Amino acid sequence: MDILKRIAEYRNREKELQWEGTFAEYLDIVKKNPRVAQTAHSRVYDMIAKAGVETDSQGNKKYLFFSKELFGLERAIERLVEEYFHSAARRLDVRKRILLLMGPVSGGKSTIVTMLKKGLEEYSRTEDGALYAIRGCPMQEEPLNLIPRELRPEFEKEFGLRIEGNLCPSCRFRLQEEYDGRIEDVIIERVLLSEDERVGIGTFSPSDPKSQDIADLTGSIDFSTITEYGSESDPRAYRFDGELNKANRGLMEFQEMLKCDEKFLWNLLSLTQEGNFKAGRFALISADEVIVAHTNETEYKAFIANKKNEALQSRIIVMPVPYNLSVTQEENIYRKLIQQSDLAHIHIAPHSLRAAAIFSVLTRLKESKKQGVDLLKKMRLYDGEAVEGMADIDMEELRNEHLDEGMNGIDPRYVINRISSALIKTDANFVGALDILRSLKEGFDQHPSITPEQREKYLNFISIARKEYDEIAKKEVQKAFVYSYEESAKTLMDNYLDNVEAYCNWQKIRDPITGEELEPDEKLMRSIEEQIGISENAKKAFREEILIRISAYARKGKRFDYNTHPRLREAIQKKLFADLKDVVKITTSTKTPDENQLKKINEVINRLVEDYGYTPASANELLRYVGSLLNR
C-alpha cells in the first residue's frame, strides 16, 4: 500500500464533493432533486432504508444498516425505525419528540447512536444524501429559509416542498449587510456532516451542574467583540457554537440525558414542540435536528416519578433497548469484540463462546408460567431451534409474557472481560469452553452488583451451560468418528427409510437374502427416532413427514439422501455413535493406544481440524475431555 498515494486520492475525492454557487443555482439543484432539502429525520430514515431491509417469513424486518455491529436487537431496531424514524420522516408528530433509548448497561444504546452519527457522515458524502447550506452560516442553514414567508405558499405549491425554518440571526444580518437583501446572490455550498468538525453532528455530555454552562447547548456572547459591535444583540457578537447550533440539519446525541441538570432540559421543550430554541438576546432560533438521548431503566423510573418533569416527559418517545436473548447472536457479539482486540490471534476452541453465551442468555430470561416451558426450552426457542410441541405462536406468547425481559442479567461487557482474562492467563495457545466458564465463575466475587442470591442462581446457570457444552462436545466427537463410518450411516439410513415407507403404506418388507416378507422393523425405527426425542405418540406424524419429503424430492427429480433431512441425519449419527460408544470410549481414554487406535485418533483429530475449526492441541483436549465424559 502506497499510503501517500492513497492520501492524495482521498484529498481529491473530498475536493470533488465540494460545490459552491448562488441561491439561484441551488434552486436548479432542488428542482432536479428535491431530496436535498429534506428534514433531518427524513435524511436519517433514508440513510437506514437505502442500506437495505430483509423480511423473514413471519414479516419481521432486519435493517442491514445495523446488522454488522448489532446482534440480536432486530425487534428493538425494527420498532425504532418504523415507529420513530419512518413516522418522523413523514412529518408526523413524533418528529417533535426526543428519542430516548432506555436499557441496561452495555446493551447497545451508545452503539446505535454512534452508528447513526457515523452513517450520517458517510451518507452526506453520497449523491442521495447530499445537503447544502448558506456559506459561512454557523448553523449550516437550509438555503430555502431565505425565501420570505409571504412567498413560501406559492413556492411550496410549485416545488412540492415545505419550508418550516427561519433564518438564524447571523444569516439574517449577513443577507442585509453583505448581499443588500438580494437573496438570489447569496452563496450556497455543499455541506459534509462531520462530528470532528462539529458540522451537523453534536454531542452533549452532562458534567458538574455548578460548572457547566447553558452556553454548551445554545452558544454564548463573545464579550471581546462588544466594544467593537456595541451591542449584545448584534449577531457578530455571539458565538453560535453550542451543541444545538452545531447539530442543526443532523443529529445531536444527549448522553445520559436524565443525569443532566433541569435547566439544561428546559431548552428542549420549545425545540421539540416548535422546532426552535432561545439563545442570547435574539428571537427564537430555528433548528431541524434529531435529538437522541440514552439512559438506564433506574434513572428513567426516577425521572417519571418526579412531577416537575411532566412537560418534558410528554415530549419524549421511549424506545427500550434490552439485552440480546439469542445464544447465536450473543456469540457474534463476543466474536466481534475479540476481533477488535489484540488477542484475536489466540485460538478459541469451537463452541467455547457458545457456552459463555448460553450462560449469559439464561441470566436474562424470566421464568414462564406456560406449562412445560423451562428456561432451557425458552432459550432454544428464542435461538430459532425447533422445540417439539412448540409453534411460532407459542414463542410470541412467551415474548409478550414479560415485556421487560432482557432488561436485567449479565452484560456482554462482563463476559468479554472474563474471556479476556482467560485469554491472558492461558499457557497453551488456545482456550476452551471450560477455561471460559471457570473464568466467568471466578469473576462473580469481583462483580460489585451481584448479590449472594444472584450468585447462587448464576452458579446454577454455569452448571447448565457446562452440561450443554458436554452434549455439544460429545456430538462433535460423534460426528468426527461417524465420518469414518459414513457408509454405515448411509446403509442405516436406507434401511430406516425402507421400513418407514412400508409402515406408512401398510406394506411388508422383503428380506433381501431369504425373500421372506416381514413386518416393518419397529424396534429399529424407534431406536433411531428416540435419539432425537420423537415420542411414541409423535412417531406416526414424523414418519409421514419423512415420506412426504421423499415424494416431494422424487417429483422434482431429486434423490432424498443422508444429508437431506438434518433431524433425521442427527438421529442416524446418534444411533451409530451409540453403537460405536465402546469403540470411542476405548479409543479416547487409552493411555497407550495400539496402532489401530492411534490411526483412528489421528483420523478424528484431522477431521476436527480440517472440518470443524479446531487446532491439533484443542482437538486433542476435546478428545480427552469426551473420553472422560464417556467413562463416568
Side-chain angles (χ1 to χ4, degrees), residues 350-415:
H351 312 295
S352 301
L353 296 181
R354 188 166 190 82
I358 288 170
F359 162 73
S360 298
V361 170
L362 285 172
T363 68
R364 300 167 189 170
L365 296 177
K366 294 199 170 188
E367 296 280 357
S368 173
K369 293 177 184 176
K370 199 173 178 69
Q371 191 173 5
V373 179
D374 58 13
L375 287 184
L376 210 51
K377 234 177 206 180
K378 196 177 191 182
M379 179 194 79
R380 292 196 171 107
L381 273 170
Y382 281 6
D383 202 38
E385 290 185 41
V387 176
E388 190 178 353
M390 305 295 287
D392 290 339
I393 191 168
D394 295 305
M395 190 159 80
E396 280 307 307
E397 283 179 21
L398 289 173
R399 288 192 185 279
N400 294 327
E401 193 176 7
H402 300 288
L403 296 178
D404 62 341
E405 191 169 49
M407 299 301 274
N408 296 291
I410 286 290
D411 62 282
R413 206 170 283 154
Y414 168 78
V415 178

Side-chain angles (χ1 to χ4, degrees), residues 476-576:
E476 201 84 327
V477 173
Q478 163 194 318
K479 285 189 292 183
F481 263 91
V482 168
Y483 186 88
S484 304
Y485 297 89
E486 191 77 14
E487 286 305 314
S488 302
K490 288 176 180 175
T491 302
L492 184 59
M493 176 84 148
D494 290 339
N495 197 359
Y496 173 79
L497 294 177
D498 288 342
N499 280 277
V500 163
E501 192 172 355
Y503 170 87
C504 292
N505 294 327
W506 300 86
Q507 295 174 345
K508 292 189 176 182
I509 291 280
R510 185 178 295 277
D511 188 297
I513 298 172
T514 65
E516 183 185 359
E517 288 194 334
L518 305 168
E519 292 293 329
D521 192 340
E522 184 66 21
K523 187 177 178 183
L524 170 73
M525 289 188 287
R526 291 303 293 139
S527 70
I528 291 170
E529 290 157 359
E530 284 169 353
Q531 301 295 331
I532 52 172
I534 303 296
S535 65
E536 184 72 24
N537 292 333
K539 69 180 185 183
K540 186 172 184 292
F542 182 75
R543 293 170 188 176
E544 287 173 349
E545 187 263 326
I546 294 286
L547 199 62
I548 289 168
R549 192 83 70 92
I550 292 172
S551 301
Y553 269 73
R555 283 198 304 272
K556 294 176 183 176
K558 295 179 181 178
R559 186 176 182 276
F560 187 93
D561 63 22
Y562 177 66
N563 294 305
T564 302
H565 196 291
R567 288 194 75 205
L568 183 56
R569 184 179 68 227
E570 182 189 352
I572 295 291
Q573 288 177 346
K574 281 187 172 181
K575 166 65 177 163
L576 202 57

